[in-house]
Amino acid sequence: MNEDTRLRTPLGRAVGLGSAKEGVAHWWAQRVTAVALVPLVIWFVIDIIALTGSPRGAVVAWLHAPFPAIATVLLLIAVFYHMALGLQVVIEDYVHSEWLKISAIVLNKLVAFALAAAGIFAVLRIAFQG
Amino acid sequence: MSHAQRPLSPHLQIYKPQLTTVLSIVHRATGIALAAGTILLVWWLLAAAIGPDAFATAQAFWFSWIGRLMLFGWTWSLMYHLCNGLRHLAWDAGWGFELKQAYLSGWIVVTASVVLTVVAWVAGYAVRG
């Protein structure tokens, strides 16, 4: 590249975070969670269909086994991470008031954490206690 | 400065809807719908963890007509978001950018999401008996 056409500072080039100041971290995490969710969602949907109309005992027995419990916890982590990233982009696109945008992004993250914690707690309680 | 009457670029409603643009906005809409659906997923898991009464309440809601309608909507949203998500991942890997391919994959996504939704519900009713 010609020296005259380089508009970034040497530090900016070395850090490589671009004008958004956060590089591709958000974009990349969205893809990583998407890839993780493909097998997890397919597995979860099949198992949930198999449990259609089952009494609580069947659901408890299902989550009491190690594989479903671990896979469901992984699913919840990936789902809520993916959800928080996706909703953040929606907020950034449509909410133009700066303080409202930042508040919505913070609220989005807190709600995602809370739902993830509640879901994981439920799975672990069933897994350990039945 | 910020209140100057500058010309604005035309917004979405000026463009003719096309399969590619419609599928793009539907991907976002289904993502938002699925985000709302996670609240009920967590409710179902918590109900199972808490006890038989809480679980019976959740189960009764899911089998009500409104519960089924929501579940049906979410089933299609999930299938669509999953299939179109795979389409996006293929694009990220550099595949399928030709116009013809983008339209073909778009119609495959639409068809697959409908077929998978029907299969899931037929299987669900078969299991329930």
Side-chain angles (χ1 to χ4, degrees):
Chain A
M1 201 189 288
N2 189 319
E3 197 64 40
D4 299 330
T5 62
R6 283 184 186 170
L7 294 174
R8 278 195 207 169
T9 62
L11 177 63
R13 261 204 321 286
V15 176
L17 295 181
S19 58
K21 302 177 187 71
E22 57 167 40
V24 294
H26 182 115
W27 186 93
W28 184 241
Q30 188 90 68
R31 268 70 190 171
V32 171
T33 50
V35 169
L37 280 168
V38 173
L40 287 169
V41 164
I42 293 170
W43 163 79
F44 189 74
V45 167
I46 291 169
D47 271 27
I48 289 293
I49 289 171
L51 284 168
T52 311
S54 295
R56 177 176 174 261
V59 178
V60 169
W62 172 61
L63 283 180
H64 204 63
F67 179 82
I70 294 166
T72 306
V73 169
L74 290 175
L75 174 87
L76 289 166
I77 293 169
V79 157
F80 287 110
Y81 194 177
H82 192 78
M83 182 190 91
L85 293 167
L87 288 182
Q88 184 177 330
V89 177
V90 175
I91 293 164
E92 285 165 352
D93 281 355
Y94 303 135
V95 182
H96 301 305
S97 148
E98 198 62 25
W99 71 268
L100 202 61
K101 180 165 77 183
I102 290 168
S103 310
I105 289 171
V106 170
L107 186 69
N108 168 46
K109 284 181 178 163
L110 294 179
V111 169
F113 267 109
L115 286 171
I120 292 166
F121 165 77
V123 173
L124 295 182
R125 182 167 168 170
I126 294 167
F128 291 127
Q129 192 175 302
Chain B
M1 275 298 278
S2 60
H3 295 95
Q5 291 294 311
R6 297 194 194 88
L8 297 167
S9 60
H11 201 42
L12 280 174
Q13 52 268 35
I14 207 156
Y15 301 106
K16 182 182 158 210
Q18 294 166 295
L19 181 73
T20 43
T21 58
V22 171
L23 295 190
S24 172
I25 195 66
V26 170
H27 192 72
R28 175 164 283 195
T30 52
I32 295 168
L34 289 167
T38 61
I39 295 166
L40 286 120
L41 170 67
V42 169
W43 175 40
W44 182 73
L45 287 170
L46 277 175
I50 289 165
D53 290 346
F55 189 76
T57 309
Q59 194 90 317
F61 174 76
W62 288 121
F63 281 111
S64 70
W65 71 268
I66 184 92
R68 275 180 224 219
L69 190 68
M70 289 166 97
L71 207 51
F72 189 81
W74 281 321
T75 308
W76 179 75
S77 295
L78 182 65
M79 297 308 181
Y80 177 85
H81 205 84
L82 176 67
C83 294
N84 203 48
L86 288 168
R87 183 165 169 248
H88 269 283
L89 288 173
W91 284 334
D92 293 337
W95 300 328
F97 271 125
E98 292 299 321
L99 200 56
K100 228 179 138 180
Q101 295 169 325
Y103 269 82
L104 177 66
S105 61
W107 284 118
I108 291 171
V109 162
V110 171
T111 311
S113 69
V114 172
V115 169
L116 287 171
T117 304
V118 171
V119 167
W121 276 69
V122 168
Y125 274 102
V127 166
R128 201 189 168 206

